[in-house]
Amino acid sequence: MRTGFFILTLILSSRLFAGGIEKAYEALKVYNYFEAKSLFKKNLKKDSVACAYGLSVIHFREDNPFQNKNKSLLYFEIILRNFPEYNEKQKSALKELGIQQETIDTLKNQLGTYFFDQAHTESDLEEYLTRFSWAKEYDEAAENLDAWRYEKALQGGNSDAFRKFIGFYPESEYYYPALKRYQKAIYEEQTCDLAVGSYKNFIHNFPESPYAERAQDRIYELITGDRTLDSYEFFIHEYPENKNVYDAWKKLYQEFMTVLTEERYLSFKENYPDYPFMGDLEVEFKLSKIKYLPFKQYDSWGFIDTVGFIRVKAEYETVEKFREGLAVVSKDDLYGAINKQGDVIIPMKYEELYDFYEGTAVCAKGGKYGMVNTSGEEIMKLEYDDVMEMKNGLAIAEKEGLFGYYDKNGFEKIEAIYDEVNQFEEGLAIVSKDGLYGIIDPYGIPVLDFQYDNLIKFNELYYAAETEDGWGIITIEKDTVLDFEMDLIQPVYNGFAYFELDEEYGFLNENGRIAIEVDYPVFADDKQLCYFKNGHALVKSGDRFGLINEKGRKVIPTIFYGIGHFDELIPITKGDLWGYCDERANRKIDYQFDMAYNFEGDYAVVIKEGKMGLINKKGEFVLNPEYDEILRVENKYYKLKKQEKFGLIDLDLDVVLPVKNDELILFSDVLIQTFNGGELQYFNLRTKDYIEVE
């Protein structure tokens, strides 16, 4: 609080005045307040300003028994009324007593400050503004009153309190903040039940409210929360004026066009003739039929079509193939996605962004993973330790070491409570919880209880499970097909499943029954080779290999240090060199190769003196051993590598591309990517020519 008290010094001239007023000031000068007060009151009518001034000073001072600030103010108000009416002669006489504008202002400031400091309530401030229009604190008092009234409205906190404030005080500094709070309060009060009907009524009753759009958003969110075709259709039909209707159309299109085929395209046009973006749909469909090829220009990447026309200009650091209508691209080490028109659909803001599957793509930033859809909407927040691609309508996500399942709209479908999970197959998934394995359905309901130490899918009908007693085979109904006594069981492959018992192995048939008894010692280093192919399986005795048939009979004795798969000609070795034998173990091609592989078609890849070549079934070289690598590609070509250069020949051994490329990749059935000196080109296998960029 400000004291606002000044010692008033009365300046009397050296001239001695006769009369009561002069005597009163002489008494005041020597602090004779009793005599001064008496004389001032007696002479008040004689000179109202001079006497009122003296009386105001006496009542203001705190060193006498007459101190009374209210009376001081009453007398000072006499001065304010009458002093302006005094003529120069009267003012000159007052000046002889030490009363002039400066001393009046001093007393005025003292009184104004004192009463300002006493104004603590709304009524105090209102009275202050009524009586103290002349005070230097007047503006501050007005501001305080304004703030006090606004604070009172804030304490009320409801629309009625703010409505009264803006109604009573339209000139207030807080008018617009109060108006905003009123608008927010009325919105929250009218829609407190969070029901669609309440939001609808709010829009009808308050169409000009800034919260009307928010109410439209809430209607949209509530109706389409499940993100289904039916909910989008209902919203579009019932709320055509809602600002989100165009977004609803796009989401409906996205939901319907999970695969952009001509059949789906025509069906969509027939079912939704009012689709507002039909022109864009037609363009998208036409572009979907055009093959887009990544191309490089001036160290940047874009896309061309199969005739070399630039479809998306080269402006990206990296590009990936188009998938589901979008291609992942990057700039400044951040990833986004574009459509075939070159429009950025997903802004380049992610540190990782993967290809789209079932309308969604995994994204990451700051070490956390989430998921976006083809509209660029982040359907799963970036808060997971890992997210796997969508498969069969569900994506697996990990958080704090536990796994759960999420649907294509980002909703948690199955709670993240599992230690390990697998993708759903035919409506079932193997998962583990608290160290034990079981099976759940797509709703997270256990179909097979959590009671197994390990659990794998044996085949389409059965499961291989492990307990403390060993491995066995069960049905989904928990019926035991094979007792729990095996040391290991693997899934069925080519009609048979590998199993181990007492450090020996045999094979089970598809019914979970023993087809070939355990008769061969387990060899850990080569266990992955123990499977049936072409009706035969590899077996080992000591350090020698042979082959058995499906009845368990040895057709190739265990006499070889190495052997390939059963075929018309089988790669074999008895020492440092390889050759080939027939189905009866008769040698057909002499031991002469460093390494030999099974025949594929008419030819087999062999290594001689450290180089690869191709031989025919007579053991003759049809492609001399001069290559560092020969790889069969798509069962159509051989990719050749020699001195860090690559080429391509067909299965007839005709040259498709000479061995002079830095790298080559089979891009599609008819296109090969070649890289030379950092330049990417496309070779058309049909036209036997390179695509030129136009």
Side-chain angles (χ1 to χ4, degrees):
M1 179 185 293
R2 290 174 289 177
T3 60
F5 182 81
F6 302 96
I7 297 176
L8 180 63
T9 303
L10 298 174
I11 305 173
L12 300 177
S13 69
S14 58
R15 173 185 172 190
L16 297 175
F17 290 90
I21 295 175
E22 289 81 358
K23 287 181 179 180
Y25 275 102
E26 287 291 345
L28 184 57
K29 183 179 180 181
V30 295
Y31 306 106
N32 186 348
Y33 293 114
F34 288 93
E35 183 177 354
K37 176 176 177 291
S38 177
L39 291 171
F40 282 136
K41 293 193 72 172
K42 288 179 181 179
N43 291 280
L44 187 60
K45 292 183 178 180
K46 181 179 179 181
D47 192 328
S48 61
V49 173
C51 292
Y53 185 84
L55 288 168
S56 182
V57 168
I58 291 171
H59 287 300
F60 189 83
R61 287 182 176 179
E62 297 181 354
D63 60 349
N64 67 82
F66 306 112
Q67 186 272 132
N68 187 317
K69 298 297 192 294
N70 288 321
K71 287 186 177 180
S72 176
L73 176 60
L74 290 172
Y75 285 115
F76 184 76
E77 287 175 338
I78 294 174
I79 299 170
L80 292 177
R81 288 195 299 273
N82 296 338
F83 182 72
E85 304 299 326
Y86 273 36
N87 57 37
E88 291 302 320
K89 183 177 180 181
Q90 289 172 309
K91 289 181 179 180
S92 178
L94 289 174
K95 190 173 182 179
E96 293 293 331
L97 297 172
I99 303 171
Q100 52 189 347
Q101 188 64 53
E102 289 77 5
T103 54
I104 292 173
D105 287 344
T106 298
L107 183 57
K108 176 176 70 175
N109 290 337
Q110 289 177 320
L111 285 165
T113 298
Y114 174 81
F115 281 97
F116 176 76
D117 289 339
Q118 307 307 308
H120 301 304
T121 66
E122 181 180 15
S123 59
D124 290 343
L125 289 166
E126 288 174 343
E127 182 179 359
Y128 186 88
L129 293 175
T130 301
R131 298 187 65 180
F132 291 84
S133 60
W134 39 265
K136 62 184 178 62
E137 291 89 354
Y138 180 86
D139 289 341
E140 187 176 353
E143 292 174 0
N144 288 353
L145 179 60
D146 198 20
W148 195 95
R149 289 168 173 166
Y150 183 58
E151 181 62 30
K152 184 178 178 182
L154 289 175
Q155 292 174 359
N158 54 41
S159 62
D160 188 56
F162 293 116
R163 179 184 58 78
K164 289 179 180 178
F165 181 88
I166 60 179
F168 290 146
Y169 312 114
E171 303 301 323
S172 169
E173 176 186 350
Y174 298 97
Y175 176 83
Y176 287 106
L179 177 61
K180 289 181 179 180
R181 289 183 177 272
Y182 165 73
Q183 292 166 336
K184 181 180 180 182
I186 197 71
Y187 168 73
E188 292 175 345
E189 292 166 6
Q190 295 285 321
T191 62
C192 61
D193 62 356
L194 307 179
V196 170
S198 297
Y199 292 109
K200 185 176 179 180
N201 291 335
F202 178 84
I203 295 169
H204 179 267
N205 295 329
F206 303 93
E208 302 302 322
S209 170
Y211 288 87
E213 288 193 359
R214 186 176 297 186
Q216 290 187 45
D217 291 340
R218 289 294 295 138
I219 291 173
Y220 181 48
E221 292 166 4
L222 289 169
I223 291 177
T224 65
D226 59 357
R227 300 176 182 175
T228 62
L229 275 175
D230 289 343
S231 65
Y232 289 123
E233 286 180 2
F234 177 81
F235 177 81
I236 291 167
H237 181 266
E238 293 295 322
Y239 299 92
E241 302 301 320
N242 190 291
K243 73 182 185 70
N244 296 289
V245 72
Y246 289 125
D247 187 71
W249 271 115
K250 289 184 177 180
K251 296 290 177 57
L252 180 146
Y253 167 72
Q254 178 186 339
E255 196 68 27
F256 188 93
M257 300 293 288
T258 52
V259 180
L260 190 58
T261 63
E262 184 169 4
E263 182 181 357
R264 294 295 287 174
Y265 165 71
L266 294 175
S267 177
F268 184 86
K269 288 186 68 175
E270 180 181 354
N271 288 314
Y272 305 105
D274 297 328
Y275 182 59
F277 308 106
M278 195 64 75
D280 294 340
L281 172 61
E282 292 172 354
V283 170
E284 183 178 357
F285 180 70
K286 289 178 181 178
L287 291 177
S288 71
K289 294 180 174 295
I290 298 174
K291 186 76 172 179
Y292 274 48
L293 312 175
F295 85 106
K296 190 176 183 182
Q297 190 176 60
Y298 307 119
D299 294 326
S300 294
W301 290 83
F303 290 92
I304 59 173
D305 58 24
T306 54
V307 297
F309 182 76
I310 295 177
R311 292 288 179 170
V312 178
K313 67 179 182 179
E315 58 176 311
Y316 300 103
E317 291 174 358
T318 63
V319 297
E320 301 295 333
K321 289 182 181 180
F322 273 89
R323 184 177 174 86
E324 298 190 4
L326 295 178
V328 175
V329 298
S330 71
K331 276 185 178 181
D332 301 323
D333 293 325
L334 293 176
Y335 293 83
I338 61 173
N339 63 16
K340 284 194 169 183
Q341 298 180 63
D343 302 322
V344 175
I345 304 302
I346 300 175
M348 274 150 276
K349 62 180 183 178
Y350 297 106
E351 293 167 3
E352 297 177 55
L353 182 63
Y354 297 88
D355 284 338
F356 280 83
Y357 290 89
E358 299 183 20
T360 63
V362 176
C363 56
K365 190 175 183 180
K368 292 296 182 180
Y369 290 81
M371 188 168 279
V372 294
N373 61 22
T374 52
S375 295
E377 181 184 5
E378 209 167 88
I379 58 172
M380 287 178 65
K381 294 180 179 179
L382 295 166
E383 58 183 31
Y384 300 92
D385 300 324
D386 196 9
V387 176
M388 302 176 196
E389 68 190 36
M390 191 71 63
K391 185 177 181 180
N392 298 325
L394 290 174
I396 295 170
E398 177 189 5
K399 195 172 186 180
E400 297 179 357
L402 295 176
F403 297 84
Y405 295 84
Y406 296 78
D407 66 19
K408 62 182 178 179
N409 295 313
F411 298 132
E412 186 180 66
K413 190 77 172 179
I414 301 175
E415 187 180 0
I417 57 175
Y418 302 105
D419 307 321
E420 293 181 34
V421 294
N422 290 279
Q423 296 283 7
F424 275 85
E425 294 183 29
E426 299 179 359
L428 299 173
I430 296 173
V431 297
S432 73
K433 184 179 179 183
D434 299 327
L436 294 176
Y437 289 80
I439 297 176
I440 59 172
D441 68 12
Y443 300 98
I445 299 173
V447 177
L448 194 62
D449 293 337
F450 295 91
Q451 58 182 334
Y452 302 102
D453 298 327
N454 207 339
L455 185 66
I456 61 173
K457 192 169 184 179
F458 182 73
N459 59 13
E460 297 303 315
L461 296 176
Y462 305 134
Y463 292 87
E466 182 186 15
T467 67
E468 61 181 10
D469 297 322
W471 283 80
I473 296 177
I474 58 173
T475 67
I476 193 66
E477 292 83 13
K478 306 179 189 177
D479 296 328
T480 300
V481 176
L482 183 69
D483 291 337
F484 290 86
E485 58 184 16
M486 304 301 179
D487 297 330
L488 178 66
I489 297 177
Q490 293 186 346
V492 171
Y493 182 77
N494 287 334
F496 294 88
Y498 172 93
F499 77 94
E500 294 179 4
L501 180 63
D502 298 331
E503 299 186 0
E504 292 187 325
Y505 73 92
F507 292 91
L508 305 174
N509 62 23
E510 291 183 326
N511 295 320
R513 304 301 180 186
I514 295 176
I516 300 174
E517 295 283 353
V518 289
D519 194 29
Y520 305 99
V522 171
F523 48 106
D525 293 341
D526 298 304
K527 187 183 299 185
Q528 73 277 8
L529 301 176
C530 296
Y531 61 90
F532 271 83
K533 183 175 181 179
N534 300 331
H536 295 75
L538 182 75
V539 292
K540 188 177 183 181
S541 178
D543 58 353
R544 304 296 179 97
F545 292 90
L547 294 173
I548 60 172
N549 63 18
E550 294 179 353
K551 294 182 179 180
R553 185 174 66 84
K554 285 184 183 178
V555 294
I556 304 293
T558 50
I559 59 175
F560 300 105
Y561 290 119
I563 193 168
H565 297 298
F566 186 85
D567 206 346
E568 179 184 352
L569 291 174
I570 306 166
I572 54 172
T573 179
K574 280 190 174 181
D576 295 332
L577 297 177
W578 286 71
Y580 289 84
C581 71
D582 62 16
E583 297 101 322
R584 296 183 178 180
N586 299 314
R587 184 163 16 112
K588 292 297 183 180
I589 299 176
D590 288 339
Y591 299 113
Q592 56 183 299
F593 308 113
D594 301 339
M595 184 65 199
Y597 299 90
N598 276 89
F599 276 83
E600 293 185 82
D602 295 330
Y603 308 116
V605 176
V606 295
I607 300 176
K608 191 168 187 177
E609 297 179 359
K611 296 294 182 180
M612 287 186 170
L614 292 176
I615 61 170
N616 61 22
K617 292 183 179 180
K618 294 180 181 180
E620 301 167 338
F621 276 102
V622 293
L623 191 67
N624 289 330
E626 58 186 53
Y627 299 96
D628 303 316
E629 184 178 297
I630 298 177
L631 181 66
R632 192 177 173 101
V633 180
E634 300 289 335
N635 285 323
K636 292 182 179 180
Y637 306 99
Y638 289 105
K639 181 179 178 180
L640 310 177
K641 180 181 180 182
K642 183 178 180 180
Q643 296 178 353
E644 301 303 321
K645 296 292 182 179
F646 295 87
L648 200 71
I649 60 175
D650 62 22
L651 298 186
D652 294 326
L653 308 183
D654 294 326
V655 175
V656 178
L657 286 171
V659 184
K660 63 177 185 179
N661 300 282
D662 295 342
E663 178 58 287
L664 60 82
I665 299 171
L666 192 64
F667 185 78
S668 68
D669 290 342
V670 296
L671 293 174
I672 298 174
Q673 287 180 328
T674 65
F675 299 85
N676 290 293
E679 181 181 358
L680 166 65
Q681 288 184 294
Y682 289 89
F683 183 79
N684 191 312
L685 292 167
R686 289 176 181 166
T687 64
K688 306 298 183 184
D689 202 359
Y690 285 96
I691 296 173
E692 297 293 334
V693 177
E694 297 182 5

